[in-house]
Amino acid sequence: MRTRRQQLAEAKAAHNHPAYAKMAFVMGCGVQGKGEGSRVLDDERGTPYLALFDQYGNQSFGYSHPRIVAAVREQLDTGVLNSTKIMFEEVQIRLSERLAEATGQLLPYSYLANGGGETIDNALKLARAATGRPGVISARGCFHGKTFATLSASDRPEHRELLGPFMPHFRQVGFGDLDELAAALDDTVAAVLLEPVQAEAGVIVPPPGYLQEVRRMCTEAGALLILDEMQTAFGRCGTFFAYEQFGVAPDLVCVGKAFGGGVVPLSAVLGTERVWEVLRVLPSTFGSSLGGNPLSCRVGLEVLALASDEAFLTGVKERARTIDDRLSALAARFPELVAEHRGLGMMHGLEFTDGATAGLVLGRLLEEGVTSTYSLYHPDVLRVQPPMVISEEDLDQGLSVLEGILAEVDGHRRETASSGHADVPRAAELSPVTRTVRLPHPPAAVLDLLRSRPRLLDPFAAATGTRAGEGREAEFAGRLGEDAVVWADRTELLGDGVRLSAEAGWLWHTLERRATVTAAPGGSLLDVRVAWDTDSGAYEDMLGGRIGFLASTRLDELIAALQAELATQATPRTPERKSADT
């Protein structure tokens, strides 16, 4: 029987996003329910998840922040919800005033929109209009959105191959490489577009002095400096804007995500008076049907008030020190798992030695009721970027769970290496997972067991002891760890063993479990091979780390049980003694 989780995963795969549906299910994500603070309920199981990640900046103020919820209710009660686009909308105008104040009038103008990609597009239009130049320089590894302009700026090879050609006049340089920037920054460049911290590249913090030099070089070349602060603004790095950390004055700043308090879409581009001249020359340059609507703007005002509070920013700095200290200690303690720890403020990443380890750790965190995720363009990096309102107690709990899991994974890696299951020590096994075991029993005895119970060594079977014959099971009762899952599966009895195979569907592209038995000196040789392909492209290793850990752990248990059963069968039974009275 399909669980609610599986029903939702199959529907998402069929009608929305197949890869993300598969990823969320394999990793063990529950059904989202009510959230409050740094916790959100699994609506199916009724258990809470603790957030070590703020959903790419969207939930920076946690779930259902009482002041944000109150702001929504207050605005709903006014009945002022819709934009006329021609009348003076007071809440929108007040929000623009407050944004200017937040920059100290450095950037006195702003234009409100819905999402990040839309706002980055607006910034690029402003830069071209202000300079009369077409060129844009961005940094390799950047993420600025999913519109054509922002994809052109990111210039990912996989996107270019599928969606290209991209827009012309976009160039990339290395993040932190001033020499490469100097070579590219000519009189055709309108703007240099950078993130103060590259989030999706794996939480890359710029080298000391880098952004200041970029500012100087842009000024000398007549180009504008655009900073994408979608994930770094509103206190995430310890100051209202991250650019304050680096002592630079940008020409344009883009904000979003947390700006909407996690409940409404809201973004903005902020700019200088010089850059804003285009709106006098061509007033129709911008347009956003629902951008800056009264409900979103009321939430935006509350977010600005929260993020400007000195007590709030002090708390962010205190928790930032805790995260930095704890993650630095983990990196030092587990050097064979953690390649590097990077971060600024409450925005950190742990880069693991491979994607399989990242997937294994992520899956185990979710099993323990803690949410995190990977960096979009660097899946080896686990993000530690909790809501900024997380309590010290919740933060300690989440980091302690992470520490315990790393200790567990490190132990598993050492066991795997010492048992000869891998050529090199690794924390997780990828497809195929194989085992070869010598048994002091004749092949016929082992084969009899396998043929009578074909799923005896199936790490994905909910019930391994069931007696079954050959054929297809339309509703095979499977499992991924402790999660029940149903798919169509086929059983074949072979001359030397058994073969089990899943039919291609929303979860598996291929899945085969095969056990064979051959004669060997003193008994027999058992070979087990578990191979799968989820057809997940760049995420195959990350998902494989989770699947491989579940498969290998369960398979070792099943082989041990098989050995025990064979030993019991081979032990002669001692006849019962007769009573002296008989």
Side-chain angles (χ1 to χ4, degrees):
M1 180 180 293
R2 282 165 171 76
T3 62
R4 182 180 171 202
R5 265 183 79 238
Q6 181 172 346
Q7 290 171 348
L8 291 171
E10 289 189 81
K12 184 178 179 71
H15 304 294
N16 175 237
H17 204 310
Y20 285 176
K22 187 178 305 184
M23 186 181 307
F25 191 89
V26 169
M27 288 298 174
C29 296
V31 178
Q32 183 176 323
K34 180 181 178 180
E36 185 174 345
S38 57
R39 295 179 182 270
V40 62
L41 280 178
D42 179 335
D43 199 49
E44 184 178 38
R45 299 165 179 145
T47 56
Y49 284 102
L50 172 63
L52 271 189
F53 188 63
D54 67 347
Q55 311 325 119
Y56 305 97
N58 291 297
Q59 305 301 336
S60 285
F61 297 96
Y63 295 93
S64 304
H65 192 291
R67 286 178 57 176
I68 291 170
V69 172
V72 171
R73 286 187 175 134
E74 288 170 11
Q75 192 63 34
L76 288 172
D77 288 343
T78 68
V80 182
L81 303 174
N82 311 104
S83 296
T84 65
K85 293 297 181 183
I86 57 173
M87 300 177 75
F88 291 107
E89 298 175 22
E90 183 168 4
V91 67
Q92 183 190 91
I93 295 167
R94 298 304 177 206
L95 181 57
S96 294
E97 283 184 321
R98 285 290 294 112
L99 283 170
E101 291 171 9
T103 71
Q105 302 301 328
L106 172 69
L107 307 170
Y109 291 91
S110 60
Y111 190 85
L112 300 164
N114 298 291
E118 182 184 5
T119 280
I120 297 291
D121 275 14
N122 286 338
L124 296 176
K125 286 188 290 186
L126 285 167
R128 283 185 169 180
T131 63
R133 299 173 175 182
V136 176
I137 295 175
S138 59
R140 282 187 284 276
C142 68
F143 177 82
H144 298 294
K146 295 291 180 69
T147 65
F148 259 102
T150 54
L151 285 173
S152 299
S154 298
D155 195 29
R156 301 290 300 179
E158 63 273 24
H159 292 155
R160 192 185 329 116
E161 181 180 356
L162 185 65
L163 306 171
F166 283 153
M167 296 172 64
H169 308 297
F170 283 83
R171 283 178 278 176
Q172 286 196 321
V173 298
F175 188 66
D177 191 330
L178 291 170
D179 291 337
E180 193 174 2
L181 176 61
L185 195 54
D186 57 29
D187 60 7
T188 69
V189 175
V192 175
L193 170 63
L194 297 173
E195 301 159 271
V197 178
Q198 285 195 312
E200 303 312 326
V203 193
I204 309 298
V205 180
Y210 171 68
L211 289 178
Q212 290 175 314
E213 276 300 293
V214 173
R215 170 71 279 179
R216 181 189 64 78
M217 293 165 68
C218 285
T219 301
E220 291 182 357
L224 304 185
L225 174 59
I226 306 173
L227 292 182
D228 177 349
E229 291 230 26
M230 294 293 168
Q231 292 198 47
T232 55
F234 306 110
R236 173 57 62 183
C237 295
T239 49
F240 190 99
F241 294 105
Y243 70 72
E244 299 172 67
Q245 301 270 329
F246 302 101
V248 298
D251 300 289
L252 291 159
V253 168
C254 299
V255 296
K257 295 186 181 292
F259 196 11
V263 295
V264 292
L266 183 62
S267 64
V269 54
L270 289 66
T272 63
E273 184 173 2
R274 175 210 166 193
V275 171
W276 229 253
E277 183 64 25
V278 62
L279 290 186
R280 294 189 179 92
V281 176
L282 187 62
S284 63
T285 300
F286 290 161
S288 182
S289 296
L290 291 175
N293 67 75
L295 182 60
S296 293
C297 288
R298 178 64 186 88
V299 171
L301 280 170
E302 202 62 40
V303 165
L304 286 178
L306 285 167
S308 301
D309 186 87
E310 283 302 321
F312 167 76
L313 292 173
T314 297
V316 169
K317 291 170 185 173
E318 291 171 351
R319 288 183 285 277
R321 283 192 291 271
T322 297
I323 296 171
D324 189 46
D325 290 346
R326 295 282 294 273
L327 295 186
S328 295
L330 290 182
R333 179 181 171 188
F334 302 109
E336 293 177 323
L337 292 181
V338 181
E340 190 175 357
H341 158 233
R342 300 181 290 268
L344 179 69
M346 288 183 70
M347 185 176 187
H348 289 254
L350 283 181
E351 181 178 342
F352 291 106
T353 50
D354 54 69
T357 301
L360 169 54
V361 172
L362 179 57
R364 284 289 296 117
L365 279 171
L366 288 163
E367 281 185 344
E368 297 298 324
V370 176
T371 67
S372 184
T373 194
Y374 55 93
S375 285
L376 186 63
Y377 295 146
H378 200 336
D380 296 0
V381 177
L382 183 83
R383 301 286 292 277
V384 180
Q385 184 176 310
M388 293 184 289
V389 297
I390 192 170
S391 67
E392 286 288 352
E393 293 77 14
D394 280 352
L395 180 58
D396 176 70
Q397 179 188 341
L399 293 174
S400 294
V401 170
L402 175 60
E403 181 177 5
I405 288 170
L406 290 184
E408 171 194 310
V409 172
D410 188 59
H412 178 69
R413 178 195 62 79
R414 295 178 189 281
E415 289 173 9
T416 300
S418 63
S419 63
H421 293 158
D423 294 332
V424 294
R426 61 185 308 154
E429 294 177 82
L430 295 175
S431 178
V433 170
T434 61
R435 297 289 186 269
T436 298
V437 183
R438 287 189 174 274
L439 300 171
H441 309 284
V446 183
L447 283 169
D448 283 347
L449 265 182
L450 289 178
R451 286 172 179 156
S452 65
R453 283 176 282 163
R455 301 197 177 278
L456 203 57
L457 297 177
D458 181 1
F460 298 111
T464 58
T466 304
R467 296 186 178 274
E470 291 187 278
R472 178 182 184 270
E473 287 183 72
E475 296 283 308
F476 166 66
R479 60 181 278 183
L480 281 172
E482 297 304 316
D483 290 324
V485 57
V486 174
W487 67 78
D489 208 73
R490 184 172 295 278
T491 300
E492 298 175 68
L493 302 182
L494 309 174
D496 60 352
V498 297
R499 178 178 180 267
L500 312 169
S501 55
E503 291 185 5
W506 71 275
L507 179 58
W508 305 109
H509 180 60
T510 60
L511 170 64
E512 180 182 278
R513 296 85 82 207
R514 185 167 185 150
T516 59
V517 183
T518 55
S524 57
L525 201 65
L526 171 67
D527 285 295
V528 186
R529 185 178 187 273
V530 181
W532 66 88
D533 176 7
T534 66
D535 195 25
S536 299
Y539 300 133
E540 192 69 40
D541 276 7
M542 185 172 61
L543 287 183
R546 167 74 172 161
I547 295 168
F549 175 73
L550 295 175
S552 61
T553 303
R554 180 62 175 151
L555 184 57
D556 290 340
E557 294 172 357
L558 294 175
I559 289 173
L562 172 69
Q563 290 173 311
E565 184 170 351
L566 286 168
T568 300
Q569 290 182 359
T571 302
R573 296 184 62 184
T574 303
E576 295 182 6
R577 288 188 178 183
K578 293 185 178 181
S579 167
D581 295 334
T582 60

